[in-house]
Structures are given as structure tokens and as C-alpha cells.
Amino acid sequence: MINILEVNETNNMIEQEKLDVRTITLGISLLDCVDASLDALNQKIYAKITRLARNLVSTGREIELEYGIPIVNKRISVTPIALIAGPACSTPDDFVSIAQTLDKAAADMGVNFIGGYSAIVSKGMTRTDELLIRSIPLALSATERVCSSVNIGSTKTGINMDAVRLMGEIVKETAEATKEQNSLGCAKLVVFCNAPDDNPFMAGAFHGISEADAVIHVGVSGPGVVKHALESVRGKDFEILCETVKKTAFKVTRVGQLVAQVASERLGIPFGIVDLSLAPTPSVGDSVAEILEEMGLESVGAPGTTAALALLNDQVKKGGVMASSFVGGLSGAFIPVSEDQGMIDAVIRGSLTLEKLEAMTCVCSVGLDMIAIPGKTPASTIAGIIADEAAIGMINQKTTAVRLIPVIGKDVGDMVEFGGLLGHAPVQQVNTFDCSKFINRGGRIPAPIHSFKN
């Protein structure tokens, strides 16, 4: 039974502490759209998306008004396009036409992003997979709302190093193709290890083949709420610190559960999961970095940062799973640079480096996210960073991802503006020692010994 104190507390979290539902994401299966004709395939894709998503944005707005809960984004994810386009597509340009269909459907439905221009190549690439991957630079330069992802490894299969090498090249080509927009295309391209089927957050969302025909996922966010809660326990021991984070995460997740259930009922589409991530924004007071500093760090990146982040991530999960029976996606704390003002400040003051960020990804929800690097960075170096991050995910049986932005024409110390929720970021130093001989070996890094559990 909800009492008036809980209602007032939630209102305060929304009005003063920046609590929001970051996204309602409608996942749509396109498996029944397969056709040997490219025109017919595009028509089927557009028809299915617009039929199922026609009330998504209006329903989200109704829930916002009725419950007073901000819902920042309404989004769509679809089946990885590489899985459905093989019979119809014989060139990269054919795939680009599908990206443009997705973009038109997203625009007509009023959503800001559509995810699923994706391929799953953790053990090997089909010809269709490779064609889609090679089309990514043009597809992201020719569209506004389309997001792309490629899963290049997993704990069960190892790391596909041929795909890693190719993705280093594709990231560079995407940067060049969108250089007039500060290489913005790379902000919509994620390289995964252990990608989940039910992630509602862009740019990595896709509708996995284990999902129903259509499903509603919700992603909640409340860094400001957690920081505010921790202000009341300054100087207290770790037991009290952990309990405070856990209880706050419970309250935040309950808000997401409510929105998910109401949206599911009104749209007539099954509820999938709540992703209880702490996803920051460039707004002041909505920062994961500030939570870590509230725990007692002078600046993010200081000794103790990885331990503080591990504590935060674990307690968020523990609180969230008590609030919802269906927690999924990524769930935990995100540490993007450009989307978190506290992270930006730490990079500028010199306390947070790319190497420290990599260490932090061992215990966070995702990986190296929204990091601007010099435009002159070689494709092999980008591939090496992708391989390092994939290895962390593979060995630790967790999702890791890389969203690097080699900004053409920019160098270390330059500030780059991406706009909106994508924020802005200082260009960070990258290790310049060569790894190309390692990357060019080809083949696959085998799965670790602990992957054999059958």
C-alpha cells in the first residue's frame, strides 16, 4: 500500500533530484518481414514498425501527464538487420536502403532513436554480416535516428579478432563519413562483447531473437537521487553507505516498474524488463561521477575510484532486483564521458585517463562509452582498445562495450560538442604504441576455460 509520505518522496525526487524514466523502448521482431525482394522487405519493415509503434509516443506523454513522471525518450529497437536481410541484400548499398527505411519509420513515429542496425559476429561472420558492417559508415551518415551495434565476442565463444580488426576500420570510416558533424556517427555505433537481448538503452539496443514478437522495456535513471541520499550519510561507515544506495535504487526501480506496467497495458504489448541503470546526462547534478565523489573521492580517477564504482554498481543491482521481478538489460552504473559533467570535469583536471576508465569498466555496467579521441588515431589502435574491452567482458562474464569517437581534425585537449543528451567531451590522450601486428594476426581468441559449463 502506497502512503502519502512515499508519494511526496517520489515527487521530491522528480522535482529536485532529476529522477526520470530515461526511455520506454518498444522492441519489435522483424523475423516475419524476410523477403527476397528488397522493395518488399523495406515495405514490410516500415509497415510493421509503424503499426506497432503508432501509439508509443502519445502513450508515453499520457503517462507523463497522468503520473507526473518525466519520460525523457521514446525509442524503438528491432531484430538485428543482418539476421533478416540476407535474401534481399547483395551490396552495402542495399543495406543502406534498409537503414533509411528504419530512419523514416522512426521519424514518422516521433522517436529519437531506433536501434538494431546490427550484426552478431562473436564466433564468425557470414557474408551478410560483413556486408552490413561495411555499410555502417554510409548508413549512419545518411540517417539521423538509426543506431548500430556489432557484437564481436562472448564468454561462450571467445573474441572474433577478424571482426575486431574490421570494426577498428569501420569506426574510422564512420568518423570520416560524419566529420562535418564532429564525427557524430561514431556516437551511434557500439561494439559489444556479451551483448544482452533486452537492452533498452541506445546506441546498443536491438531486439534479440529470444524476445517475443513485440515487448516493452523501460530504462530508469537516478544519479541525482542517489547523490542526494548519500549527502545525508557523509562520514558514515560502508554498511550504512551500502544500505543507503540499495534503498534508493529500490525506490527508483519501483518508478520504472510502474511506468513499464502501465505502458504495457495501454499499448497491449507484453512487459519485458526494467533496466535499473544510473544513466547520467550533461545536466549539473545528474552525474555518476558526483556520486563517487560524494563517497569521499576528491576527484573521479583518484585511488579508490574502482572500488567505489564496484560498490555502487553492486548495491544498485541489489536494490533493483528487490523492486522488480524482471530486471534486465545492462543495469548498474554507466560511466560515459561526454554525457556526464562530472566525468568531463575529471578529464579536464587530469584525474581521469583512458587507462583508468578501462580499469573502471571491469566493475561498471558497460564499458568505454562516449569517449572522444584524436581523429588521427589509427584503426589498429581503435581495434586494440576494442579487443582489450572485449577481453574484460569475456573473462568476467559481463557485458562490455566500446563507443569511441575519433573526431576528425581534433587533437588532445580540444573540446567537442555533440549536442543534446550526447553532450560534449574533451579529446583524450590515447596510447600511441603500435599494436597492429597483434591485431592483424586474424582468427579468434578462444573462449576462457570457465565458459565450459554444460
Side-chain angles (χ1 to χ4, degrees), residues 9-10 70 78 102 112 155 165 167 173 202 223-224 260 268 276 278 289 298 324 368 397 402 435 449 451:
E9 185 179 43
T10 301
V78 298
L102 295 175
N112 67 328
T155 299
R165 180 181 58 204
M167 286 311 301
E173 291 175 19
M202 300 297 170
L276 49 98
L278 297 180
E298 180 183 4
S324 174
L368 294 171
Q397 304 179 68
V402 173
C435 65
I449 187 65
S451 68

Side-chain angles (χ1 to χ4, degrees), residues 36 50 193 243 268 287 296 316 384:
T50 53
C193 179
E243 283 297 307
S287 164
V316 165

